[in-house]
Amino acid sequence: MNIQWYPGHMVKSKREIQESLKLIDVVIEILDSRIPESSKNPEVDSIIGNKPKIIVLNKCDLAEDSVTFEWIKYYKKVGINSIDVDSSTGKNINKIYNVVKETVKDKLDRRIEKGIIGRPIRALIIGIPNVGKSTFINKLTSKSSAKTGDKPGVTKSRQWIKVSNNFELLDTPGILWPKFDDKRIALHLAFTRAIKDEILDIEELALELIKEIGTLKPDAIIKRYNIEISSDPFETLKRIGSKRGCIISGGNIDITKASNIILEDYRTGKMGKISLEKPGEVE
């Protein structure tokens, strides 16, 4: 399965981000806690240059706590401040401003020395589609400042959002990169709905997800569907369909319906907390 998705507005968004950097004090890069490496746009660091950056590991409610903790240690080791966040419930949202202040402390000190007082910290929010940027912003501001939706590509343009007198955000559309050379990265993006389902082969995607979870955390499938995992992912998918009543005429299994069920169960955490990537795998 060749997975590629790079709609035209992403080219414009990348250009607008570059143009906005002169107004920005710090970049907040939002990653998916389940797939921190795959959800990191490899072009971001070259785009933002030497701007200070913090990493927000969003959707931490869907990732394994111990693995997320390992990621935070990894980022600290390479000199990046990071924090795990669940934007839906607001976990650790109230700590964001302090992490931002710590990251730009030297810059704030220089401003004070020059007598510049009262200027708000301006942060650029950046991340791939459907990583939860808008939900993060809305929870941070305690209002519906940004459009949200459980599909990629909801935010279409830049917008300034005031968090407080001391803190402002620039929201940007999610951007991917033109070509996914690594199949594993492409699959992880598809599993987590960073890529539109409409352009994917859902049945093949479900089989790939079964293979990966069956290797990493087979009990998640066994407990969720009360089945035995087969060495053949297609057989496992049929067993899931049978358990979930995906029966069509002739007693056959509706494979498409069963595929959508397992993908949705993973995406919403109904299979439990499952991290697909660990920092030890990163070079």
Side-chain angles (χ1 to χ4, degrees):
M1 179 167 51
N2 182 30
I3 302 173
Q4 301 295 335
W5 186 53
Y6 193 62
H9 76 269
M10 291 186 182
V11 179
K12 177 185 175 185
S13 298
K14 179 180 174 181
R15 184 175 64 251
E16 289 179 340
I17 288 170
Q18 291 170 321
E19 293 170 353
S20 302
L21 284 173
K22 59 181 177 294
L23 306 173
I24 298 301
D25 300 309
V26 61
V27 174
I28 298 176
E29 183 177 16
I30 300 185
L31 306 180
D32 187 319
S33 293
R34 298 166 293 181
I35 54 166
E37 190 65 14
S38 294
S39 61
K40 175 179 175 54
N41 187 326
E43 297 182 343
V44 163
D45 289 341
S46 62
I47 291 172
I48 68 174
N50 59 359
K51 286 287 180 181
K53 181 181 78 169
I54 73 168
I55 285 177
V56 168
L57 292 169
N58 198 22
K59 303 186 180 183
C60 67
D61 58 313
L62 301 176
E64 297 165 54
D65 297 336
S66 59
V67 177
T68 301
F69 179 69
E70 288 299 316
W71 277 108
I72 291 172
K73 288 202 305 183
Y74 166 78
Y75 291 124
K76 183 177 181 180
K77 183 178 178 181
V78 297
I80 302 173
N81 287 334
S82 65
I83 183 171
D84 57 322
V85 162
D86 176 11
S87 295
S88 297
T89 63
K91 177 184 175 181
N92 286 340
I93 286 288
N94 61 342
K95 298 179 181 179
I96 294 294
Y97 181 62
N98 287 336
V99 177
V100 168
K101 277 205 308 182
E102 178 187 343
T103 304
V104 296
K105 183 180 182 301
D106 291 345
K107 187 170 188 176
L108 295 179
D109 289 343
R110 289 195 298 271
R111 282 183 183 174
I112 293 173
E113 290 175 2
K114 295 178 180 178
I116 303 173
I117 299 173
R119 180 184 294 178
I121 298 172
R122 290 175 172 168
L124 173 72
I125 306 294
I126 197 168
I128 66 170
N130 208 42
V131 78
K133 296 189 306 300
S134 297
T135 304
F136 170 80
I137 289 169
N138 290 341
K139 188 63 71 171
L140 192 62
T141 58
S142 300
K143 57 188 177 184
S144 298
S145 302
K147 292 181 180 179
T148 62
D150 192 19
K151 60 180 181 179
V154 174
T155 303
K156 296 292 187 184
S157 60
R158 293 176 296 178
Q159 59 174 330
W160 281 102
I161 298 164
K162 183 176 181 179
V163 180
S164 67
N165 291 333
N166 301 318
F167 194 24
E168 294 178 356
L169 306 175
L170 179 59
D171 186 19
T172 61
I175 55 170
L176 291 169
W177 49 105
K179 192 174 188 317
F180 307 133
D181 294 319
D182 189 319
K183 179 186 176 183
R184 182 168 180 258
I185 288 176
L187 285 171
H188 286 182
L189 293 173
F191 292 158
T192 55
R193 205 187 264 123
I195 299 170
K196 283 186 175 181
D197 282 346
E198 290 83 353
I199 70 165
L200 302 170
D201 183 328
I202 292 299
E203 295 174 12
E204 189 172 347
L205 189 63
L207 293 175
E208 293 287 354
L209 181 61
I210 288 170
K211 282 196 289 187
E212 184 146 2
I213 295 179
T215 301
L216 292 175
K217 206 170 183 180
D219 283 351
I221 295 176
I222 294 169
K223 291 178 181 178
R224 175 64 182 167
Y225 304 107
N226 193 26
I227 63 167
E228 290 296 323
I229 294 182
S230 168
S231 57
D232 179 2
F234 188 68
E235 177 60 32
T236 300
L237 183 57
K238 289 197 294 183
R239 291 175 186 177
I240 292 170
S242 178
K243 278 290 184 178
R244 285 294 184 265
C246 305
I247 310 297
I248 54 179
S249 59
N252 295 315
I253 304 298
D254 186 335
I255 297 300
T256 300
K257 186 175 180 180
S259 298
N260 278 306
I261 285 174
I262 188 170
L263 285 166
E264 193 64 20
D265 284 353
Y266 171 69
R267 290 165 173 173
T268 57
K270 292 178 181 176
M271 296 175 68
K273 296 185 173 188
I274 303 175
S275 297
L276 298 181
E277 298 173 358
K278 298 180 179 180
E281 301 165 348
V282 179
E283 293 183 0

